[in-house]
Amino acid sequence: MYLTDEEKAMLEGAQGEGVRKAMEIVTALGTVYGAERLVPIEHAHVAGVSFKNLGDAGLEFLRNWALQGAWARVPATLNPAGLDLSRWRELGFPEEFAKRQRAVSSAFAALGLEPIYTCTPYHVGFIPEKGQHIAWSESSAVLYANSVLGARTNREGGPGALAAAIVGRTAAYGLHLDENRRPTHIVEVKCRLETPSDYGLLGYLIGTEIPGGVVYLRGKTLGSATETHLKALGAALATGSSISLFHVEGVTPEADECAPSGDLPVMPIETLDEARKAFGTEPLDIDLVWLGCPHVSREELVHIAGLLEGKELATALWITTAKSIRDWATGQGILETIEASGARVVADTCVVVAPVEQMGVKTMMTNSRKGAYFAPAHAHLQVRYGSLEQCIKVAVTGRWEGGDETT
Ligand code: F3S
């Protein structure tokens, strides 16, 4: 792999052991994937932030790297942590877990990362431009950056994204290169899609049929897809497949230049019914309703506030988002409207990376395909899936009744 003189010096330790280690990781990844050079990046986003996933060994690893002089040389944000860093006590997070998570936050601060804990950095001002190279390691954010914004990132691992932040570069392979951004499969969508949950089901269906590559979606109904719809589509696609880029005809920024050519496999989608049935449908008492996977935007929060206004909830409802969005909602009076119902706007974390099983949660309903996929394995929850409106209805009654609620 070609390295500039500065990059060679970094690899030889001229800028200290912490930078040397980071350059070793970045070049090793480049060698594995056949990169010919490195590219400078504008931003990094690092996943693997919850103490629940890192444990003491991960915490020690971060501390040591900081002690070796590693420091992010480009702006770098963090994925959700294991708790709400300012309201954890009020929300019932365990004290000992909070202590460990705060130690993780200190370790990331010592590495120069921004104390911004969200899987939607693009909702809080980190919006890469079309063609810009970045190193992001949250799969739903990777899909959004590549597909909706036209930026360029591979699906990095947490340590890889952190190493890229420290050297300000990543290896030029995969989706950093023009030739790998062209579609490999066409998806013809023939059914109506209305809600973000419908787009989540669409992503689920595609991901179960097409394990990897770049998909090009066509279909009349897709013309009115909003960024919220595409966010749900990308998050769901990322769970079941290694797909990290999609184009939507007439909608996404590279759809024209990447219009399909040649004989590509075509997947027709006539209905979402089978995808709905893939989730449990039997009646269930629900301990927690979860909205905000991926973290909600300001617009989504306003919409949810409208649906919750004047309601009284029978079960816990968490809406997860970035802290700056909650702060904004507080200033607008939106938080008050939401929380008067009994719901809570929870910042910095999400159900999958929080220790919810230690907090007595056993059953959950969500409008997120990704949340429904990961919560059973990561938080040992029984899960039901439905639209935003169905989730709020269940929060009011405390029970998923099944039957025709599934359609
Ligand atoms: Fe974000 Fe957690 Fe979902 S990191 S995409 S809210 S699983």
Side-chain angles (χ1 to χ4, degrees):
M1 189 189 325
Y2 168 79
L3 296 180
T4 65
D5 289 344
E6 189 191 358
E7 289 162 356
K8 276 187 209 150
M10 285 185 193
L11 191 57
E12 285 159 9
Q15 295 186 20
E17 176 58 16
V19 174
R20 191 203 64 73
K21 192 197 277 182
M23 188 52 106
E24 193 174 72
I25 293 171
V26 170
T27 52
L29 284 169
T31 304
V32 167
Y33 289 105
E36 292 179 358
R37 62 192 171 90
L38 306 183
V39 280
I41 56 165
E42 306 293 328
H43 183 253
H45 183 73
V46 177
V49 177
S50 172
F51 180 72
K52 182 172 159 179
N53 305 120
L54 280 171
D56 285 314
L59 173 56
E60 260 334 282
F61 176 80
L62 293 172
R63 280 177 169 156
N64 285 337
W65 210 352
L67 286 173
Q68 290 166 338
W71 182 262
R73 67 181 71 201
V74 295
T77 43
L78 290 159
N79 226 33
L83 47 67
D84 185 321
L85 286 152
S86 43
R87 290 178 79 184
W88 61 270
R89 205 184 291 272
E90 173 199 336
L91 290 161
F93 282 88
E95 183 101 32
E96 184 54 32
F97 184 86
K99 199 170 132 200
R100 309 308 285 159
Q101 184 63 58
R102 287 209 302 269
V104 171
S105 295
S106 301
F108 276 119
L111 286 161
L113 277 84
E114 314 262 357
I116 294 171
Y117 301 87
T118 182
C119 48
T120 55
Y122 47 87
H123 286 330
V124 293
F126 296 92
I127 309 171
E129 290 170 14
K130 185 180 174 198
Q132 272 185 345
H133 297 278
I134 56 176
W136 283 15
S137 60
E138 156 56 40
S139 64
S140 67
V142 165
L143 266 287
Y144 194 93
N146 277 319
S147 314
V148 183
L149 303 175
R152 297 186 170 210
T153 180
N154 290 313
R155 206 187 283 194
E156 302 274 357
L162 183 52
I166 292 164
V167 299
R169 296 156 168 84
T170 192
Y173 67 93
L175 294 175
H176 290 285
L177 307 177
D178 289 345
E179 60 268 31
N180 297 325
R181 298 181 70 86
R182 306 203 64 79
T184 57
H185 297 77
I186 296 171
V187 176
E188 299 273 7
V189 180
K190 301 188 174 170
C191 54
R192 267 180 83 76
L193 302 170
E194 288 171 359
T195 65
S197 304
D198 290 342
Y199 280 81
L201 292 171
L202 174 66
Y204 166 80
L205 283 174
I206 298 170
T208 51
E209 284 288 317
I210 304 174
V214 177
V215 287
Y216 189 94
L217 291 95
R218 295 202 276 238
K220 256 195 214 153
T221 187
L222 295 168
S224 54
T226 65
E227 289 174 0
T228 303
H229 292 141
L230 298 179
K231 181 169 83 164
L233 169 65
L237 255 178
T239 57
S241 73
S242 67
I243 295 168
S244 293
L245 168 63
F246 62 84
H247 304 293
V248 180
E249 187 176 61
V251 176
T252 56
E254 291 171 274
D256 281 354
E257 64 208 72
C258 292
S261 57
D263 212 8
L264 298 182
V266 178
M267 175 184 180
I269 296 196
E270 314 269 356
T271 171
L272 302 175
D273 289 348
E274 281 311 305
R276 275 185 234 280
K277 286 181 195 149
F279 300 92
T281 55
E282 308 76 35
L284 188 68
D285 287 334
I286 299 293
D287 297 329
L288 174 67
V289 175
W290 177 29
L291 309 173
C293 173
H295 278 181
V296 294
S297 63
R298 287 172 177 77
E299 294 72 25
E300 289 173 276
L301 205 52
V302 170
H303 181 57
I304 293 167
L307 296 175
L308 285 172
E309 192 163 8
K311 292 206 168 52
E312 203 174 312
L313 305 186
T315 194
L317 166 60
W318 280 13
I319 306 152
T320 47
T321 191
K323 182 166 182 301
S324 62
I325 291 186
R326 182 174 65 192
D327 290 346
W328 168 85
T330 306
Q332 302 288 315
I334 294 163
L335 190 84
E336 205 181 333
T337 304
I338 291 173
E339 299 209 342
S341 70
R344 290 290 173 265
V345 179
V346 179
D348 310 320
T349 188
C350 83
V351 169
V352 168
V353 297
V356 289
E357 56 277 50
Q358 287 181 48
M359 297 161 77
V361 178
K362 292 193 172 61
T363 57
M364 182 194 75
M365 175 154 184
T366 181
N367 65 339
S368 164
R369 162 69 189 118
K370 180 175 177 182
Y373 180 84
F374 282 117
H378 289 251
H380 310 110
L381 304 180
Q382 250 188 296
V383 171
R384 294 292 180 266
Y385 174 85
S387 68
L388 171 61
E389 288 73 12
Q390 285 171 324
C391 284
I392 290 180
K393 189 173 161 196
V394 166
V396 169
T397 62
R399 186 169 167 81
W400 165 258
E401 295 294 353
D404 62 3
E405 281 194 326
T406 60
T407 57

